[in-house]
Amino acid sequence: IDGSRAPTLNFTEGQTYRFDQSDSTNNNHPLRFSITSNGTHAGGVEYTTGVTTNGVPGQSGAYTQIEVASGAPTLYYYCTNHSGMGGQINT
């Protein structure tokens, strides 16, 4: 994210964050959220509250967006296709 590998992000409740996934480096790397580190790769489930996805990662117009709910738990972002690609989001 922004040139850093798996940085910890800090989100504010009530704010909306959009991850632009249109760059070709995002090809085959769908970004999703979970309350479990490493998401579905670690037995967790996808967190969908306030989440919108658009397009195909690596193609023009692709993004993943989240409007952080009030009282949202600590979240983790991850790639649905590759274990170990992700990090923590403090809310």
Side-chain angles (χ1 to χ4, degrees):
I1 295 178
D2 288 337
S4 296
R5 180 171 284 202
T8 297
L9 306 176
N10 295 301
F11 284 3
T12 302
E13 293 176 4
Q15 295 296 307
T16 300
Y17 299 88
R18 181 177 286 192
F19 295 86
D20 178 358
Q21 291 199 273
S22 61
D23 189 87
S24 63
T25 59
N26 289 283
N27 187 39
N28 203 30
H29 298 296
L31 176 70
R32 298 296 183 266
F33 305 100
S34 181
I35 60 170
T36 304
S37 180
N38 208 22
T40 55
H41 304 288
V45 296
E46 184 177 337
Y47 180 87
T48 58
T49 303
V51 177
T52 304
T53 60
N54 184 69
V56 176
Q59 296 184 6
S60 179
Y63 65 83
T64 299
Q65 178 175 294
I66 183 169
E67 181 178 348
V68 183
S70 178
T74 297
L75 296 170
Y76 299 88
Y77 60 92
Y78 69 101
C79 171
T80 60
N81 290 337
H82 304 97
S83 180
M85 289 186 74
Q88 182 172 317
I89 302 171
N90 298 322
T91 58

